[in-house]
Amino acid sequence: MVNKSLNPKVMYIPAKIEPNKRVAIYCRVSTNHDSQEESLEAQIEGLKQIVKNNPKWSLFKVYTDKDSGGNTFRSGFQNMIFDCYENLIDIVLVKSISRIARNTVDLLETVNKLRSMGIEMIFDKENIRTSEVDNDVLVAVLTAIAQAESESTSEAIKWGLKRGFESGKSKLYCRKCYGYKHNEKGELVIDEAQAEVVRKIFDLYLRGYSIGLIIKELECEDIKSSKGKDKWSKRAIQTILTNEKYIGNVILGKTYTGTFPNNKQQINNGEQEKYLLENAHEPIIEVEKFEQVQEEMRRRSNVEVIEGKVKRKGTRYSIKKENKI
């Protein structure tokens, strides 16, 4: 028998809806080259489509960098990490492992940092989700693969540069310096106004002027520096006095990049080959005068090499002392 006094009533209980996961997209290319721009756009559009296809995701922000994967201080990357600390991101979506880092240590540090904040990383190319990885071994293996790819790319770039050096067709042979400008074909031609300053610097040095006195002389004549500044630096004068371009030659390979992952530029003191292109363009300084300056610079130097060891001389060059002799 139904108790009519109970007055049954149906209540609506809505389903518990999980909020959309806030997804950050991170993309990186190595250079500002046009083809790299296209690659960056392709990365962004591809990852945006992945976010759009997942109804449980919403795009929070796209972070980009045009820098080496070996540089962990990339601005876009650092901004993303900052927003992670601010609890604004749930998932970081990346095209591939190599876009985040170029070595195992950096990648694992990033993965563990985000894990500690409850943030998942997804690598689309490798189909890896850090929330599903039981340990760091798999990530380490994939990073090693990415590192090997990076090493291969680095070696390919070096090989291409070397072939250009050997053939004499590298555009670096026509890199402009003070005293020269480019013609419509991109070739080096003399900038006569600047060339006069170069000749003056060589002449003053051979007349006994120190680099400091040369700088004062240029400033007295209101001659702007190679960078358009009122004051010349000692380094700028030294560079002019030792630059073989002023006798029409070009040497490439004065610096080189170290072995991956230490890709910092280093001065080539004979560890690697150099390439000399003679008569590359019209000279500003006669060969004899250039060689006289090099000899004079060695004479004035306060260091000398004795039995293979670099030692400081007991005396230093002074124009006052020279004039007394």
Side-chain angles (χ1 to χ4, degrees), residues 80-91:
M80 181 185 72
I81 296 297
F82 178 81
D83 286 343
C84 287
Y85 277 117
E86 292 292 304
N87 194 30
L88 300 174
I89 298 169
D90 299 307
I91 296 172

Side-chain angles (χ1 to χ4, degrees), residues 177-190:
C177 69
Y178 188 78
Y180 288 98
K181 59 185 177 181
H182 286 134
N183 63 15
E184 63 279 359
K185 296 180 181 179
E187 300 166 335
L188 286 183
V189 293
I190 293 176

Side-chain angles (χ1 to χ4, degrees), residues 293-322:
V293 166
Q294 307 318 301
E295 181 58 37
E296 181 65 10
M297 291 186 82
R298 285 190 288 270
R299 188 182 73 83
R300 295 188 198 179
S301 174
N302 68 330
V303 296
E304 57 186 345
V305 179
I306 301 176
E307 296 180 353
K309 295 182 179 180
V310 177
K311 295 184 179 181
R312 290 196 175 274
K313 295 179 181 177
T315 58
R316 299 185 66 179
Y317 174 79
S318 169
I319 191 172
K320 293 180 180 178
K321 292 179 181 178
E322 293 285 311

Side-chain angles (χ1 to χ4, degrees), residues 110-126:
T110 300
V111 168
N112 290 330
K113 185 184 295 181
L114 297 187
R115 268 181 174 172
S116 68
M117 293 183 272
I119 299 170
E120 179 183 30
M121 293 191 75
I122 299 176
F123 303 103
D124 179 55
K125 181 181 178 181
E126 293 84 2

Side-chain angles (χ1 to χ4, degrees), residues 153-215:
T153 301
S154 177
E155 289 305 312
I157 292 172
K158 289 179 181 178
W159 183 88
L161 286 172
K162 188 175 180 179
R163 295 289 83 77
F165 293 171
E166 291 175 344
S167 67
K169 295 179 180 179
S170 171
K171 290 184 178 180
L172 293 176
Y173 282 115
C174 293
R175 189 161 49 185
K176 191 172 63 173
C177 69
Y178 188 78
Y180 288 98
K181 59 185 177 181
H182 286 134
N183 63 15
E184 63 279 359
K185 296 180 181 179
E187 300 166 335
L188 286 183
V189 293
I190 293 176
D191 181 322
E192 197 52 48
Q194 292 183 358
E196 279 303 310
V197 179
V198 172
R199 296 185 189 105
K200 184 180 188 67
I201 290 171
F202 273 81
D203 289 340
L204 288 174
Y205 194 80
L206 288 179
R207 282 167 53 189
Y209 278 59
S210 65
I211 289 177
L213 284 178
I214 291 174
I215 290 173

Side-chain angles (χ1 to χ4, degrees), residues 178 194 223-233 235-236 240:
Y178 188 78
Q194 292 183 358
I223 298 174
K224 300 289 186 182
S225 75
S226 53
K227 294 185 177 180
K229 297 181 179 180
D230 293 330
K231 186 173 179 61
W232 288 73
S233 68
R235 183 177 178 83
I240 287 175

